[in-house]
Amino acid sequence: MGTVMDENELKRQRLCTEILQNCRNELYHYFPYLDGAFASVGYRCTEKENQISTDGENFIAECGYLLKHYRQDPARVVRGYLHMLLHCLYLHIFPEKGIKPDLWNLACDIAVELVIEGEQIQELALPEDLARNRFIYSFGGKKCSAQQIYQMLEKKEFHESNEQLYTWFVFDRHDNWYESSGGERRAKTKRKWEKVLAYTGQNRHDQKRKRGSQKGDKTEYLQPAAKSRYDYKKFLKQFTFPREEVELDLESFDYIFYHFGMEEYGDMPLIEPLEYKEVNRMEELVIAIDTSGSCSSETVQQFLAETYSILSNRENFFHKMKVYIIQCDCCIQDVVVIHSEEEWKNYSRNIRIQGRGGTDFRPVFAYVQEQRQKKELKDLKALIYFTDGDGIYPRSAPEYRCAFVFLEQTQKMDLVPPWAVKLLV
């Protein structure tokens, strides 16, 4: 019985982890410049009574609490994820000595909620509350620091009671902000967040070039790099299916009867090789290449080398094949459909790379869905996306398998949705 309970607990913990990962992925769509912050926290889901909190290393969630609130109001949990992340980013979780915990906790909660309100993102909006709105408007759109709000609370400058403010702005518990143990570990965590804060400030200014809605208009002519780094045959094998091909089946050919016939009757073999052979291969595949500004020419060349490796191996595809090669930055830049190895070779001699704008992976998935609805893609099993990971991911899984392929280990790999495969080549 204990084993069953343990298995159920593990399932609940995995589900809670997936919920938190989905919250992160949804927020990444709106706040791509927070990528460093998103990659700096892990998740610890537990059955112990804890509600939800963060210590700067993990978001610590009580499974029952998280599942209940996510069922009731998933948008509130997504907002709460951002609420806790901002606590870490603004170093709220490292209170100064001598500070009053109840006032500091409330000041930090008000500060991060003012930031979230200032973003004016409809999907993160809370139900209408006129009194709460009046309080927020009293700041005149100004984003006050937790230290400033703490001083206001100390001086009792607000008409509302602290209890009322608590009901409006609190999301998580802050008990572990004040733990006296683990001094060196806490100091290390603080140094990490200080670096993340500095990185985020710079990243916010640079982000328009790297990802988002700005379409690129740069064109380059490239050829694939000399060699692929990865053997895709094993990965692609899981998407193959059996079918007879017009091909000599030498494996089922009996050389004894063939030799006997040629010896006894001259030029009359008693058995010929079968002209049809059952093989396991793919017919349809989509290969997407990230041509955004965050990918250098050398990186795109290596993407092309990996593409060449896939398409040049005859054992991967039936003779009749349909492979889409899509170039995309924040929108579809180019689409080529390859039906044979010869077509690929002609195309690869002079490839025109278009893009160099922001990065958004979603247009590729939208385009593929259109092709499936039009029956242009009838039995798509997989999509392979070559990227550096610096972009906006779809919120939900497609009906086919998807792999995001990286050329080097990077923190951006942590942002890949749980439904997708990560490949490092």
Side-chain angles (χ1 to χ4, degrees):
M1 187 70 179
T3 305
V4 173
M5 287 297 293
D6 290 344
E7 288 178 0
N8 289 335
E9 286 180 12
L10 286 173
K11 286 180 181 177
R12 280 161 59 89
Q13 289 171 9
R14 281 196 294 268
L15 178 59
C16 288
T17 299
E18 288 178 8
I19 287 172
L20 292 172
Q21 289 172 334
N22 288 338
C23 291
R24 176 199 63 192
N25 295 338
E26 189 165 343
L27 288 167
Y28 185 75
H29 166 61
Y30 301 109
F31 306 100
Y33 56 85
L34 291 178
D35 54 355
F38 288 130
S40 296
V41 288
Y43 310 116
R44 197 163 82 233
C45 299
T46 174
E47 296 295 335
K48 295 178 182 177
E49 189 173 339
N50 178 65
Q51 294 183 7
I52 194 164
S53 62
T54 180
D55 59 2
E57 290 298 320
N58 293 288
F59 285 173
I60 307 158
E62 177 193 340
C63 291
Y65 180 86
L66 180 60
L67 290 170
K68 173 187 171 184
H69 283 79
Y70 193 76
R71 275 195 294 264
Q72 291 174 348
D73 189 355
R76 183 71 183 92
V77 177
V78 174
R79 183 184 177 113
Y81 189 111
L82 181 59
H83 178 111
M84 292 193 294
L85 193 73
L86 292 177
H87 278 326
C88 297
L89 188 63
Y90 294 139
L91 309 179
H92 294 165
I93 61 177
F94 308 104
E96 296 176 4
K97 288 182 179 178
I99 210 158
K100 297 175 183 175
D102 56 338
L103 294 187
W104 179 248
N105 291 343
L106 183 55
C108 293
D109 286 327
I110 294 173
V112 298
E113 286 296 311
L114 287 177
V115 172
I116 296 171
E117 287 290 336
E119 295 295 331
Q120 297 183 338
I121 296 173
Q122 185 61 38
E123 286 76 8
L124 298 179
L126 294 174
E128 191 73 18
D129 186 321
L130 294 178
R132 183 181 185 275
N133 290 347
R134 273 196 302 270
F135 177 81
I136 291 171
Y137 296 153
S138 70
F139 287 86
K142 200 168 71 170
K143 295 173 185 175
C144 294
S145 69
Q147 288 80 0
Q148 290 171 314
I149 297 173
Y150 178 85
Q151 291 172 4
M152 294 176 188
L153 289 168
E154 255 195 331
K155 295 174 184 177
K156 299 183 178 179
E157 293 184 10
F158 302 125
H159 298 299
E160 294 80 4
S161 68
N162 288 359
E163 290 74 19
Q164 181 61 67
L165 296 174
Y166 184 91
T167 61
W168 283 343
F169 297 108
V170 170
F171 174 77
D172 56 324
R173 293 181 61 167
H174 301 165
D175 309 53
N176 47 13
W177 294 9
Y178 303 94
E179 291 179 356
S180 55
S181 59
E184 179 53 38
R185 178 179 58 82
R186 290 282 289 167
K188 185 179 178 182
T189 303
K190 185 177 182 181
R191 289 194 295 271
K192 175 185 75 173
W193 281 106
E194 287 171 341
K195 290 178 182 177
V196 173
L197 179 59
Y199 165 81
T200 302
Q202 181 62 45
N203 200 23
R204 184 165 191 173
H205 288 93
D206 295 343
Q207 221 36 244
K208 284 187 180 180
R209 177 179 173 270
K210 288 188 175 180
R211 57 162 74 78
S213 59
Q214 186 177 0
K215 180 181 177 181
D217 56 4
K218 188 174 180 181
T219 300
E220 299 175 72
Y221 288 89
L222 296 177
Q223 288 190 334
K227 188 179 180 183
S228 167
R229 304 180 185 177
Y230 188 78
D231 182 4
Y232 293 90
K233 186 176 178 181
K234 184 178 179 181
F235 172 71
L236 294 174
K237 190 175 181 180
Q238 60 187 305
F239 309 117
T240 61
F241 59 92
R243 193 171 73 188
E244 284 191 337
E245 283 271 86
V246 179
E247 186 174 322
L248 290 180
D249 187 359
L250 297 178
E251 292 178 4
S252 60
F253 178 52
D254 192 330
Y255 285 93
I256 295 176
F257 280 100
Y258 180 86
H259 181 72
F260 178 78
M262 296 296 285
E263 286 288 322
E264 290 293 318
Y265 305 108
D267 58 353
M268 187 190 296
L270 295 182
I271 187 171
E272 292 281 3
L274 297 174
E275 292 185 356
Y276 288 87
K277 179 180 181 181
E278 187 173 271
V279 290
N280 287 284
R281 291 176 184 171
M282 298 179 67
E283 184 171 352
E284 296 179 343
L285 178 67
V286 174
I287 298 174
I289 298 174
D290 180 354
T291 59
S292 62
S294 60
C295 296
S296 66
S297 296
E298 292 75 18
T299 299
V300 176
Q301 273 189 306
Q302 191 60 47
F303 290 164
L304 294 173
E306 305 302 324
T307 304
Y308 187 89
S309 171
I310 293 170
L311 295 181
S312 298
N313 190 337
R314 276 192 62 200
E315 293 185 19
N316 289 332
F317 298 96
F318 292 114
H319 291 301
K320 181 185 176 184
M321 67 182 191
K322 195 170 193 178
V323 180
Y324 283 71
I325 301 176
I326 303 174
Q327 295 182 34
C328 182
D329 48 13
C330 69
C331 36
I332 302 295
Q333 291 281 6
D334 185 58
V335 178
V336 173
V337 184
I338 303 296
H339 299 92
S340 66
E341 185 181 352
E342 191 60 34
E343 282 187 20
W344 161 246
K345 287 180 179 177
N346 291 334
Y347 171 70
S348 66
R349 289 190 187 106
N350 195 25
I351 300 175
R352 186 175 67 167
I353 297 298
Q354 300 178 76
R356 295 294 183 248
T359 313
D360 192 337
F361 304 123
R362 296 171 300 172
V364 168
F365 291 85
Y367 176 81
V368 169
Q369 185 59 26
E370 287 176 10
Q371 297 304 299
R372 295 177 77 234
Q373 289 172 349
K374 293 176 182 176
K375 305 299 182 185
E376 293 294 330
L377 284 167
K378 298 177 182 177
D379 194 25
L380 179 65
K381 303 291 186 184
L383 182 153
I384 297 176
Y385 210 127
F386 293 104
T387 180
D388 64 352
D390 197 6
I392 303 170
Y393 292 87
R395 296 187 196 179
S396 55
E399 296 177 4
Y400 45 86
R401 292 291 300 281
C402 173
F404 287 91
V405 183
F406 295 80
L407 298 183
E408 58 185 17
Q409 188 80 33
T410 168
Q411 285 188 326
K412 305 288 193 311
M413 294 177 73
D414 295 334
L415 299 174
V416 174
W419 46 261
V421 177
K422 288 180 281 192
L423 288 181
L424 181 63
V425 301

